[in-house]
């Protein structure tokens, strides 16, 4: 019985830290204040075995935000809608893309280690220093991400996307 509980606990920990991104009530940047990165606009697909999202469309909403539509879900996709709003921000020279459901206050954050006209790489933002409990504001989230970026495990697991 102890072995089963141990395996279950490990599975929960792995899913918490390496599975789908966890929503948080604070954005990494200030939505509506930073210009969009036009390289993100398009329809993107990936060939991962079972990603949270398999195919996504990103369109310009205005000069500071995107309309994001999930066109094909993976089995781990957990949001109630396929329509999101997105923004970008830059921290320490790295571009971050964050999205949220229009009706929900939760933000989901991704780093873009690389992006060009035909491909991009993404990774979930992990809070490796103080964790979710240390985030009480956009400023504390920013500090957590900045600190986590300096750790070897940050952005270790990536997804490669191709523009259609």
């Amino acid at each position: 019985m102890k072995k089963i509980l141990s395996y279950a606990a490990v599975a929960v920990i792995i899913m918490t830290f390496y599975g789908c991104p966890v929503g948080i009530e604070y954005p990494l940047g200030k939505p509506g204040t930073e210009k969009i990165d036009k390289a993100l606009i398009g329809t993107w697909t990936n060939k991962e075995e079972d990603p949270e999202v398999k195919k996504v469309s990103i369109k310009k909403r205005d000069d500071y935000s995107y309309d994001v539509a999930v066109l094909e879900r993976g089995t781990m996709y957990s949001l109630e809608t396929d329509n999101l709003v997105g923004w970008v921000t830059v921290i320490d020279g790295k571009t971050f893309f964050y999205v949220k459901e229009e009706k929900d206050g939760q933000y989901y954050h991704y780093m873009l280690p690389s992006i060009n006209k035909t491909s991009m790489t993404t990774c979930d933002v992990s809070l490796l220093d103080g964790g979710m409990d240390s985030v009480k504001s956009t400023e504390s989230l920013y500090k957590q991400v900045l600190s986590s970026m300096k750790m070897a495990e940050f952005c270790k697991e990536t997804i490669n996307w191709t523009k259609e």
Side-chain angles (χ1 to χ4, degrees), residues 134-146:
S134 67
V135 176
K136 306 292 184 207
S137 66
T138 294
E139 293 76 20
S140 62
L141 175 59
Y142 180 95
K143 288 177 184 175
Q144 275 298 308
V145 170
L146 192 59

Side-chain angles (χ1 to χ4, degrees), residues 39 44-45 114-121 160-163:
W44 298 90
T45 58
S114 68
I115 184 166
N116 60 46
K117 292 181 180 184
T118 60
S119 66
M120 77 171 160
T121 303
N160 295 310
W161 299 81
T162 303
K163 189 183 280 189

Side-chain angles (χ1 to χ4, degrees), residues 15 18-21 50-53 73-79:
M15 287 180 67
Y18 297 105
C20 343
D50 188 20
E52 184 181 6
V53 173
R73 295 177 174 196
T75 59
M76 296 295 287
Y77 189 82
S78 61
L79 300 180

Side-chain angles (χ1 to χ4, degrees), residues 42-45 53-58 68-73 82-83 164:
T43 300
W44 298 90
T45 58
V53 173
K54 295 179 182 183
K55 186 175 189 179
V56 65
S57 169
I58 302 173
V68 180
V70 175
L71 302 176
E72 192 174 339
R73 295 177 174 196
D82 293 326
N83 299 306
E164 291 185 355

Side-chain angles (χ1 to χ4, degrees), residues 108-162:
Y108 300 86
H109 301 85
Y110 308 90
M111 188 170 95
L112 307 174
S114 68
I115 184 166
N116 60 46
K117 292 181 180 184
T118 60
S119 66
M120 77 171 160
T121 303
T122 62
C123 61
D124 296 342
V125 170
S126 302
L127 302 177
L128 303 173
D129 187 20
M132 297 280 287
D133 292 338
S134 67
V135 176
K136 306 292 184 207
S137 66
T138 294
E139 293 76 20
S140 62
L141 175 59
Y142 180 95
K143 288 177 184 175
Q144 275 298 308
V145 170
L146 192 59
S147 175
S148 296
M149 287 171 65
K150 296 174 182 159
M151 298 180 178
E153 293 297 312
F154 188 79
C155 205
K156 200 164 189 173
E157 294 187 26
T158 60
I159 295 179
N160 295 310
W161 299 81
T162 303

